[in-house]
Amino acid sequence: MNRNMKKLSKKIVTRFAPSPTGYLHIGGVRTALYAWAYAKKNNGTFILRIEDTDKEREVEGSISHIIESLKWIGINWDEGPDIGGPNAPYKQSERLDSYKKYAQILIEKGLAYADPYTQEELESFRKKADEEKRPFLYRDHRPENPPVWDGSQPLRLKIVDIKQSEWFDEVRGKLTAGEEALDDFILIKSDGYPTYNFCHIVDDLEMSVTHIVRTDEFISSTPKFLALYDALGIERPYFVTLPPIMAPDGKKKLGKRDGAKDVLDYKKEGYLPSAMFNFLAYIGWSPEDNREIITPEEFIGIFDLARIHKSGGGFNIDKLDWINREHLKKLSYEEQEEYVFKYLPDSLKKLPTLTNSIIHSITPIVMERISKGEDIVKMAEDGELAYFFEKPIYDKESLFFKSSKISESDKYKTLSSYLEHAVFILTEIDERSFLKENIKEKLWSYAEEIGRGDILWPMRYALSGLDKSPDPFTLAEILGKSETISRLNTAIELLIK
């Protein structure tokens, strides 16, 4: 308790420190989201730092991609490589002098030494350990008189106190590891670049980071971190270990086959950033109440480390779709119109019949049928939108209701007469009153008289050319009086040919 009180007296500083080795997946964004929210809630500082010391694995363009991904979901930072700050630079490759400074401090303390062995010698040590059925530990081969470190050899930490490690995690409580977890590990490689185990601790120290938010794969390395904290005389920060994001079946960690993809792919598929934020916030955390839809501002206000789960949270694409639908509902009508238009394929956008009025009219129909923008693309590909802009083409047999009561002997003449009467009724409706409620009111008694299926089905099919489409009253209103009557007349002509 005293340690916590002491720590809480400091300004809270968190960081997200990704490596630019490819796309940013949802697990990384979730880590950033929690670290960001905790800093924001406590009027602290959130830092974006780039861990780019593994030059062999670095992918060109990854840094800008990381920045774009975080900004898309609504995460911003107080210090970072793009905006600078009091602790600049924020790329580890530009901080090499800092690592050399702390390496020299450890050397002077007698707690770091140059590794004199070749790769072949190390392999022989490992092979002998395997033959003797014991774990390979570098400290068993620690040189008695190591050479002076000149930067051309790896520099290793000398762990002088081999003991059981104990630490407290804000999510998992007290954790321990046996002394076998400790070994002399590399601080700086022979290429002059530091290892993650070394440089992130130096960076956290120099940037006054108080809370280390990361996932559970770092638990096994924590004893090494603790040894380095002790060697440098650094006060331990808070450790906040997040649960893994699990595959939908809950039996394994989320992989590429299960949806672990570039977070910007979800943007391309038409998920709203607010929905993705909402979805990720709930993977491994839950509020005290039962709310499922939450805004970033609300999340910051109620976020609590104590509510982070210990066990993994499942990735459920159906849940993401549902959340996105709920956030789409929150858009204004104008924003929904813009959303629908954005995901219409170019083939439809180029049609002269596509007008603002049509987009305005079809928006509620489209919105009630989709979970994301990609669904609009699929609707268009399946021909479920083309009839709003183009006259449909169909076979006249399709105009007949499957349970039609019309006699086979004169079915074409009969159905054409039904449609002719429907046209007569529609002609009597004033253009300004050509609304679905009025259309239904005028046609309904006639439909009841001859059989609803035998007039409503052919009307709907004549207007859309599809088995599945909105009701004929809705279609008629969207298409307008002139186009509706024109399409019904086309069906009549087809029947009497």
Side-chain angles (χ1 to χ4, degrees), residues 328-329 331-341 356-370 376 379 385 388 436 470 474 477-478:
L328 285 172
K329 292 175 185 177
L331 298 179
S332 68
Y333 199 95
E334 183 180 15
E335 289 171 330
Q336 290 181 350
E337 287 181 317
E338 292 173 355
Y339 186 84
V340 170
F341 181 78
N356 291 336
S357 176
I358 288 285
I359 295 296
H360 181 82
S361 299
I362 70 171
T363 290
I365 293 172
V366 174
M367 294 300 288
E368 71 180 15
R369 294 177 173 217
I370 66 166
I376 299 174
M379 287 178 71
L385 296 176
F388 289 118
K436 60 184 178 182
T474 299
E477 178 183 334
I478 293 172

mmCIF file of all heavy atoms in Angstrom, residues 328-329 331-341 356-370 376 379 385 388 436 470 474 477-478:
data_model
loop_
_atom_site.group_PDB
_atom_site.id
_atom_site.type_symbol
_atom_site.label_atom_id
_atom_site.label_comp_id
_atom_site.label_asym_id
_atom_site.label_seq_id
_atom_site.Cartn_x
_atom_site.Cartn_y
_atom_site.Cartn_z
ATOM 1 N N LEU A 328 -23.532 3.053 -36.402
ATOM 2 C CA LEU A 328 -24.090 3.611 -37.637
ATOM 3 C C LEU A 328 -25.432 4.290 -37.365
ATOM 4 O O LEU A 328 -25.755 5.320 -37.954
ATOM 5 C CB LEU A 328 -24.269 2.514 -38.692
ATOM 6 C CG LEU A 328 -22.996 2.013 -39.381
ATOM 7 C CD1 LEU A 328 -23.301 0.794 -40.247
ATOM 8 C CD2 LEU A 328 -22.363 3.106 -40.233
ATOM 9 N N LYS A 329 -26.194 3.708 -36.453
ATOM 10 C CA LYS A 329 -27.491 4.288 -36.101
ATOM 11 C C LYS A 329 -27.333 5.672 -35.465
ATOM 12 O O LYS A 329 -28.235 6.497 -35.534
ATOM 13 C CB LYS A 329 -28.242 3.369 -35.130
ATOM 14 C CG LYS A 329 -28.701 2.054 -35.735
ATOM 15 C CD LYS A 329 -29.333 1.167 -34.668
ATOM 16 C CE LYS A 329 -29.699 -0.198 -35.206
ATOM 17 N NZ LYS A 329 -30.247 -1.087 -34.138
ATOM 18 N N LEU A 331 -25.261 7.935 -36.369
ATOM 19 C CA LEU A 331 -24.917 8.954 -37.349
ATOM 20 C C LEU A 331 -26.152 9.769 -37.707
ATOM 21 O O LEU A 331 -27.279 9.272 -37.694
ATOM 22 C CB LEU A 331 -24.361 8.302 -38.623
ATOM 23 C CG LEU A 331 -23.068 7.487 -38.508
ATOM 24 C CD1 LEU A 331 -22.710 6.901 -39.864
ATOM 25 C CD2 LEU A 331 -21.926 8.337 -37.971
ATOM 26 N N SER A 332 -25.938 11.016 -38.061
ATOM 27 C CA SER A 332 -27.052 11.831 -38.549
ATOM 28 C C SER A 332 -27.486 11.290 -39.904
ATOM 29 O O SER A 332 -26.752 10.533 -40.559
ATOM 30 C CB SER A 332 -26.618 13.293 -38.683
ATOM 31 O OG SER A 332 -25.657 13.425 -39.727
ATOM 32 N N TYR A 333 -28.675 11.684 -40.353
ATOM 33 C CA TYR A 333 -29.159 11.201 -41.649
ATOM 34 C C TYR A 333 -28.204 11.615 -42.760
ATOM 35 O O TYR A 333 -27.904 10.832 -43.674
ATOM 36 C CB TYR A 333 -30.571 11.738 -41.933
ATOM 37 C CG TYR A 333 -31.293 10.949 -42.994
ATOM 38 C CD1 TYR A 333 -32.163 9.926 -42.648
ATOM 39 C CD2 TYR A 333 -31.086 11.218 -44.346
ATOM 40 C CE1 TYR A 333 -32.827 9.188 -43.620
ATOM 41 C CE2 TYR A 333 -31.733 10.477 -45.323
ATOM 42 C CZ TYR A 333 -32.606 9.466 -44.956
ATOM 43 O OH TYR A 333 -33.242 8.736 -45.926
ATOM 44 N N GLU A 334 -27.694 12.829 -42.672
ATOM 45 C CA GLU A 334 -26.761 13.308 -43.687
ATOM 46 C C GLU A 334 -25.481 12.478 -43.689
ATOM 47 O O GLU A 334 -24.943 12.138 -44.751
ATOM 48 C CB GLU A 334 -26.426 14.780 -43.441
ATOM 49 C CG GLU A 334 -25.509 15.377 -44.502
ATOM 50 C CD GLU A 334 -25.204 16.845 -44.232
ATOM 51 O OE1 GLU A 334 -25.462 17.289 -43.101
ATOM 52 O OE2 GLU A 334 -24.728 17.536 -45.145
ATOM 53 N N GLU A 335 -24.987 12.116 -42.500
ATOM 54 C CA GLU A 335 -23.786 11.284 -42.398
ATOM 55 C C GLU A 335 -24.051 9.882 -42.940
ATOM 56 O O GLU A 335 -23.173 9.275 -43.565
ATOM 57 C CB GLU A 335 -23.321 11.221 -40.945
ATOM 58 C CG GLU A 335 -22.733 12.519 -40.415
ATOM 59 C CD GLU A 335 -22.489 12.499 -38.919
ATOM 60 O OE1 GLU A 335 -23.235 11.784 -38.199
ATOM 61 O OE2 GLU A 335 -21.574 13.197 -38.469
ATOM 62 N N GLN A 336 -25.247 9.373 -42.711
ATOM 63 C CA GLN A 336 -25.600 8.063 -43.249
ATOM 64 C C GLN A 336 -25.641 8.104 -44.778
ATOM 65 O O GLN A 336 -25.202 7.164 -45.444
ATOM 66 C CB GLN A 336 -26.940 7.599 -42.682
ATOM 67 C CG GLN A 336 -26.889 7.237 -41.216
ATOM 68 C CD GLN A 336 -28.225 6.761 -40.675
ATOM 69 O OE1 GLN A 336 -29.247 6.858 -41.340
ATOM 70 N NE2 GLN A 336 -28.215 6.239 -39.456
ATOM 71 N N GLU A 337 -26.179 9.182 -45.323
ATOM 72 C CA GLU A 337 -26.196 9.335 -46.782
ATOM 73 C C GLU A 337 -24.772 9.329 -47.346
ATOM 74 O O GLU A 337 -24.490 8.663 -48.353
ATOM 75 C CB GLU A 337 -26.886 10.645 -47.167
ATOM 76 C CG GLU A 337 -28.390 10.645 -46.988
ATOM 77 C CD GLU A 337 -29.006 11.970 -47.408
ATOM 78 O OE1 GLU A 337 -28.462 13.032 -47.077
ATOM 79 O OE2 GLU A 337 -30.030 11.916 -48.093
ATOM 80 N N GLU A 338 -23.894 10.061 -46.699
ATOM 81 C CA GLU A 338 -22.498 10.115 -47.137
ATOM 82 C C GLU A 338 -21.849 8.732 -47.045
ATOM 83 O O GLU A 338 -21.043 8.352 -47.901
ATOM 84 C CB GLU A 338 -21.719 11.123 -46.294
ATOM 85 C CG GLU A 338 -22.151 12.575 -46.523
ATOM 86 C CD GLU A 338 -21.480 13.536 -45.555
ATOM 87 O OE1 GLU A 338 -20.748 13.057 -44.649
ATOM 88 O OE2 GLU A 338 -21.683 14.761 -45.682
ATOM 89 N N TYR A 339 -22.203 7.998 -46.000
ATOM 90 C CA TYR A 339 -21.652 6.655 -45.788
ATOM 91 C C TYR A 339 -22.108 5.723 -46.909
ATOM 92 O O TYR A 339 -21.303 4.978 -47.481
ATOM 93 C CB TYR A 339 -22.112 6.133 -44.433
ATOM 94 C CG TYR A 339 -21.493 4.816 -44.017
ATOM 95 C CD1 TYR A 339 -20.252 4.774 -43.396
ATOM 96 C CD2 TYR A 339 -22.163 3.616 -44.228
ATOM 97 C CE1 TYR A 339 -19.688 3.574 -42.997
ATOM 98 C CE2 TYR A 339 -21.608 2.402 -43.841
ATOM 99 C CZ TYR A 339 -20.373 2.391 -43.228
ATOM 100 O OH TYR A 339 -19.817 1.196 -42.844
ATOM 101 N N VAL A 340 -23.391 5.758 -47.233
ATOM 102 C CA VAL A 340 -23.923 4.915 -48.299
ATOM 103 C C VAL A 340 -23.259 5.254 -49.623
ATOM 104 O O VAL A 340 -22.800 4.370 -50.367
ATOM 105 C CB VAL A 340 -25.455 5.063 -48.405
ATOM 106 C CG1 VAL A 340 -25.976 4.384 -49.675
ATOM 107 C CG2 VAL A 340 -26.136 4.456 -47.183
ATOM 108 N N PHE A 341 -23.189 6.540 -49.946
ATOM 109 C CA PHE A 341 -22.593 6.964 -51.224
ATOM 110 C C PHE A 341 -21.127 6.541 -51.307
ATOM 111 O O PHE A 341 -20.661 6.104 -52.364
ATOM 112 C CB PHE A 341 -22.710 8.480 -51.381
ATOM 113 C CG PHE A 341 -22.147 8.981 -52.680
ATOM 114 C CD1 PHE A 341 -22.866 8.858 -53.860
ATOM 115 C CD2 PHE A 341 -20.885 9.562 -52.724
ATOM 116 C CE1 PHE A 341 -22.340 9.310 -55.064
ATOM 117 C CE2 PHE A 341 -20.358 10.015 -53.921
ATOM 118 C CZ PHE A 341 -21.088 9.885 -55.102
ATOM 119 N N ASN A 356 -28.860 12.963 -55.863
ATOM 120 C CA ASN A 356 -28.898 13.147 -54.414
ATOM 121 C C ASN A 356 -30.239 12.700 -53.848
ATOM 122 O O ASN A 356 -30.315 12.165 -52.734
ATOM 123 C CB ASN A 356 -28.648 14.614 -54.059
ATOM 124 C CG ASN A 356 -27.218 15.031 -54.345
ATOM 125 O OD1 ASN A 356 -26.315 14.196 -54.381
ATOM 126 N ND2 ASN A 356 -27.002 16.317 -54.556
ATOM 127 N N SER A 357 -31.289 12.893 -54.627
ATOM 128 C CA SER A 357 -32.622 12.496 -54.183
ATOM 129 C C SER A 357 -32.721 10.985 -54.027
ATOM 130 O O SER A 357 -33.292 10.488 -53.043
ATOM 131 C CB SER A 357 -33.671 12.988 -55.181
ATOM 132 O OG SER A 357 -34.964 12.542 -54.808
ATOM 133 N N ILE A 358 -32.151 10.248 -54.992
ATOM 134 C CA ILE A 358 -32.171 8.781 -54.906
ATOM 135 C C ILE A 358 -31.373 8.317 -53.691
ATOM 136 O O ILE A 358 -31.805 7.447 -52.933
ATOM 137 C CB ILE A 358 -31.601 8.155 -56.194
ATOM 138 C CG1 ILE A 358 -32.581 8.330 -57.345
ATOM 139 C CG2 ILE A 358 -31.299 6.678 -55.981
ATOM 140 C CD1 ILE A 358 -33.781 7.431 -57.294
ATOM 141 N N ILE A 359 -30.176 8.882 -53.507
ATOM 142 C CA ILE A 359 -29.350 8.504 -52.353
ATOM 143 C C ILE A 359 -30.111 8.791 -51.063
ATOM 144 O O ILE A 359 -30.118 7.973 -50.125
ATOM 145 C CB ILE A 359 -28.004 9.271 -52.362
ATOM 146 C CG1 ILE A 359 -27.167 8.872 -53.574
ATOM 147 C CG2 ILE A 359 -27.231 9.016 -51.065
ATOM 148 C CD1 ILE A 359 -26.744 7.416 -53.583
ATOM 149 N N HIS A 360 -30.749 9.922 -51.004
ATOM 150 C CA HIS A 360 -31.537 10.297 -49.821
ATOM 151 C C HIS A 360 -32.626 9.265 -49.556
ATOM 152 O O HIS A 360 -32.875 8.881 -48.404
ATOM 153 C CB HIS A 360 -32.148 11.680 -50.026
ATOM 154 C CG HIS A 360 -32.958 12.157 -48.862
ATOM 155 N ND1 HIS A 360 -32.388 12.742 -47.745
ATOM 156 C CD2 HIS A 360 -34.309 12.115 -48.626
ATOM 157 C CE1 HIS A 360 -33.347 13.041 -46.874
ATOM 158 N NE2 HIS A 360 -34.512 12.683 -47.387
ATOM 159 N N SER A 361 -33.257 8.785 -50.616
ATOM 160 C CA SER A 361 -34.380 7.864 -50.467
ATOM 161 C C SER A 361 -33.961 6.446 -50.120
ATOM 162 O O SER A 361 -34.631 5.756 -49.346
ATOM 163 C CB SER A 361 -35.207 7.848 -51.764
ATOM 164 O OG SER A 361 -35.743 9.120 -52.047
ATOM 165 N N ILE A 362 -32.841 5.989 -50.703
ATOM 166 C CA ILE A 362 -32.453 4.586 -50.467
ATOM 167 C C ILE A 362 -31.650 4.400 -49.190
ATOM 168 O O ILE A 362 -31.465 3.274 -48.735
ATOM 169 C CB ILE A 362 -31.649 4.015 -51.652
ATOM 170 C CG1 ILE A 362 -30.250 4.661 -51.740
ATOM 171 C CG2 ILE A 362 -32.421 4.161 -52.950
ATOM 172 C CD1 ILE A 362 -29.334 3.995 -52.751
ATOM 173 N N THR A 363 -31.170 5.495 -48.590
ATOM 174 C CA THR A 363 -30.319 5.382 -47.404
ATOM 175 C C THR A 363 -30.944 4.547 -46.291
ATOM 176 O O THR A 363 -30.293 3.627 -45.768
ATOM 177 C CB THR A 363 -29.917 6.777 -46.885
ATOM 178 O OG1 THR A 363 -29.002 7.369 -47.815
ATOM 179 C CG2 THR A 363 -29.244 6.693 -45.523
ATOM 180 N N PRO A 364 -32.193 4.791 -45.867
ATOM 181 C CA PRO A 364 -32.742 3.961 -44.780
ATOM 182 C C PRO A 364 -32.877 2.494 -45.163
ATOM 183 O O PRO A 364 -32.716 1.608 -44.311
ATOM 184 C CB PRO A 364 -34.105 4.602 -44.500
ATOM 185 C CG PRO A 364 -34.434 5.397 -45.716
ATOM 186 C CD PRO A 364 -33.136 5.851 -46.261
ATOM 187 N N ILE A 365 -33.173 2.225 -46.441
ATOM 188 C CA ILE A 365 -33.292 0.830 -46.894
ATOM 189 C C ILE A 365 -31.945 0.136 -46.801
ATOM 190 O O ILE A 365 -31.831 -0.991 -46.323
ATOM 191 C CB ILE A 365 -33.811 0.790 -48.354
ATOM 192 C CG1 ILE A 365 -35.248 1.304 -48.409
ATOM 193 C CG2 ILE A 365 -33.726 -0.619 -48.926
ATOM 194 C CD1 ILE A 365 -35.761 1.473 -49.810
ATOM 195 N N VAL A 366 -30.899 0.821 -47.258
ATOM 196 C CA VAL A 366 -29.550 0.244 -47.220
ATOM 197 C C VAL A 366 -29.080 0.083 -45.783
ATOM 198 O O VAL A 366 -28.554 -0.975 -45.398
ATOM 199 C CB VAL A 366 -28.567 1.120 -48.018
ATOM 200 C CG1 VAL A 366 -27.136 0.606 -47.855
ATOM 201 C CG2 VAL A 366 -28.961 1.156 -49.493
ATOM 202 N N MET A 367 -29.282 1.103 -44.966
ATOM 203 C CA MET A 367 -28.753 1.076 -43.597
ATOM 204 C C MET A 367 -29.350 -0.037 -42.760
ATOM 205 O O MET A 367 -28.669 -0.607 -41.893
ATOM 206 C CB MET A 367 -28.993 2.429 -42.914
ATOM 207 C CG MET A 367 -28.219 3.595 -43.522
ATOM 208 S SD MET A 367 -26.418 3.399 -43.490
ATOM 209 C CE MET A 367 -26.098 3.613 -41.755
ATOM 210 N N GLU A 368 -30.597 -0.368 -42.994
ATOM 211 C CA GLU A 368 -31.214 -1.420 -42.180
ATOM 212 C C GLU A 368 -30.760 -2.813 -42.597
ATOM 213 O O GLU A 368 -31.017 -3.788 -41.896
ATOM 214 C CB GLU A 368 -32.734 -1.323 -42.248
ATOM 215 C CG GLU A 368 -33.347 -1.717 -43.573
ATOM 216 C CD GLU A 368 -34.865 -1.590 -43.583
ATOM 217 O OE1 GLU A 368 -35.419 -0.930 -42.675
ATOM 218 O OE2 GLU A 368 -35.489 -2.158 -44.495
ATOM 219 N N ARG A 369 -30.047 -2.904 -43.721
ATOM 220 C CA ARG A 369 -29.630 -4.205 -44.230
ATOM 221 C C ARG A 369 -28.140 -4.482 -44.079
ATOM 222 O O ARG A 369 -27.675 -5.548 -44.461
ATOM 223 C CB ARG A 369 -29.993 -4.321 -45.722
ATOM 224 C CG ARG A 369 -31.484 -4.334 -45.973
ATOM 225 C CD ARG A 369 -31.774 -4.378 -47.457
ATOM 226 N NE ARG A 369 -33.213 -4.546 -47.668
ATOM 227 C CZ ARG A 369 -33.758 -5.279 -48.624
ATOM 228 N NH1 ARG A 369 -32.982 -5.940 -49.446
ATOM 229 N NH2 ARG A 369 -35.058 -5.364 -48.762
ATOM 230 N N ILE A 370 -27.389 -3.531 -43.546
ATOM 231 C CA ILE A 370 -25.935 -3.692 -43.510
ATOM 232 C C ILE A 370 -25.382 -3.633 -42.089
ATOM 233 O O ILE A 370 -26.019 -3.133 -41.172
ATOM 234 C CB ILE A 370 -25.233 -2.607 -44.356
ATOM 235 C CG1 ILE A 370 -25.458 -1.215 -43.740
ATOM 236 C CG2 ILE A 370 -25.715 -2.663 -45.798
ATOM 237 C CD1 ILE A 370 -24.539 -0.144 -44.289
ATOM 238 N N ILE A 376 -22.464 -2.943 -48.423
ATOM 239 C CA ILE A 376 -23.045 -2.155 -49.515
ATOM 240 C C ILE A 376 -22.424 -2.585 -50.837
ATOM 241 O O ILE A 376 -23.114 -2.730 -51.849
ATOM 242 C CB ILE A 376 -22.829 -0.648 -49.275
ATOM 243 C CG1 ILE A 376 -23.500 -0.211 -47.970
ATOM 244 C CG2 ILE A 376 -23.361 0.173 -50.447
ATOM 245 C CD1 ILE A 376 -23.230 1.221 -47.579
ATOM 246 N N MET A 379 -24.003 -5.834 -51.741
ATOM 247 C CA MET A 379 -25.369 -5.617 -52.233
ATOM 248 C C MET A 379 -25.337 -5.188 -53.695
ATOM 249 O O MET A 379 -26.123 -5.671 -54.518
ATOM 250 C CB MET A 379 -26.075 -4.547 -51.393
ATOM 251 C CG MET A 379 -26.487 -4.992 -50.002
ATOM 252 S SD MET A 379 -27.270 -3.643 -49.063
ATOM 253 C CE MET A 379 -28.850 -3.502 -49.930
ATOM 254 N N LEU A 385 -28.932 -3.220 -55.692
ATOM 255 C CA LEU A 385 -29.046 -1.759 -55.712
ATOM 256 C C LEU A 385 -29.245 -1.205 -57.121
ATOM 257 O O LEU A 385 -29.748 -0.093 -57.286
ATOM 258 C CB LEU A 385 -27.787 -1.126 -55.102
ATOM 259 C CG LEU A 385 -27.522 -1.427 -53.622
ATOM 260 C CD1 LEU A 385 -26.206 -0.808 -53.196
ATOM 261 C CD2 LEU A 385 -28.657 -0.904 -52.747
ATOM 262 N N PHE A 388 -32.449 0.590 -58.497
ATOM 263 C CA PHE A 388 -32.786 1.962 -58.129
ATOM 264 C C PHE A 388 -32.336 2.949 -59.214
ATOM 265 O O PHE A 388 -32.833 4.067 -59.290
ATOM 266 C CB PHE A 388 -32.129 2.354 -56.806
ATOM 267 C CG PHE A 388 -32.736 1.681 -55.603
ATOM 268 C CD1 PHE A 388 -31.986 0.841 -54.800
ATOM 269 C CD2 PHE A 388 -34.066 1.879 -55.268
ATOM 270 C CE1 PHE A 388 -32.534 0.234 -53.686
ATOM 271 C CE2 PHE A 388 -34.633 1.270 -54.158
ATOM 272 C CZ PHE A 388 -33.870 0.447 -53.368
ATOM 273 N N LYS A 436 -45.167 6.225 -49.961
ATOM 274 C CA LYS A 436 -45.508 4.817 -49.780
ATOM 275 C C LYS A 436 -46.799 4.601 -49.002
ATOM 276 O O LYS A 436 -47.563 3.678 -49.302
ATOM 277 C CB LYS A 436 -44.339 4.067 -49.119
ATOM 278 C CG LYS A 436 -43.933 4.564 -47.750
ATOM 279 C CD LYS A 436 -42.703 3.793 -47.255
ATOM 280 C CE LYS A 436 -42.236 4.290 -45.901
ATOM 281 N NZ LYS A 436 -41.023 3.579 -45.443
ATOM 282 N N PRO A 470 -37.192 -4.429 -51.374
ATOM 283 C CA PRO A 470 -38.181 -3.753 -50.526
ATOM 284 C C PRO A 470 -39.601 -3.933 -51.090
ATOM 285 O O PRO A 470 -39.786 -4.315 -52.252
ATOM 286 C CB PRO A 470 -37.743 -2.291 -50.567
ATOM 287 C CG PRO A 470 -36.286 -2.347 -50.897
ATOM 288 C CD PRO A 470 -36.119 -3.511 -51.803
ATOM 289 N N THR A 474 -42.654 1.041 -51.063
ATOM 290 C CA THR A 474 -41.383 1.729 -50.816
ATOM 291 C C THR A 474 -40.635 1.961 -52.121
ATOM 292 O O THR A 474 -40.102 3.049 -52.368
ATOM 293 C CB THR A 474 -40.512 0.917 -49.841
ATOM 294 O OG1 THR A 474 -41.200 0.774 -48.593
ATOM 295 C CG2 THR A 474 -39.166 1.582 -49.599
ATOM 296 N N GLU A 477 -42.235 4.800 -54.163
ATOM 297 C CA GLU A 477 -41.921 6.134 -53.653
ATOM 298 C C GLU A 477 -40.517 6.561 -54.052
ATOM 299 O O GLU A 477 -40.295 7.698 -54.487
ATOM 300 C CB GLU A 477 -42.062 6.179 -52.130
ATOM 301 C CG GLU A 477 -41.697 7.532 -51.549
ATOM 302 C CD GLU A 477 -41.750 7.588 -50.026
ATOM 303 O OE1 GLU A 477 -42.496 6.796 -49.425
ATOM 304 O OE2 GLU A 477 -41.043 8.421 -49.443
ATOM 305 N N ILE A 478 -39.548 5.632 -53.918
ATOM 306 C CA ILE A 478 -38.162 5.975 -54.243
ATOM 307 C C ILE A 478 -37.994 6.256 -55.732
ATOM 308 O O ILE A 478 -37.346 7.220 -56.135
ATOM 309 C CB ILE A 478 -37.218 4.837 -53.807
ATOM 310 C CG1 ILE A 478 -37.193 4.731 -52.280
ATOM 311 C CG2 ILE A 478 -35.802 5.052 -54.356
ATOM 312 C CD1 ILE A 478 -36.451 3.532 -51.760
#
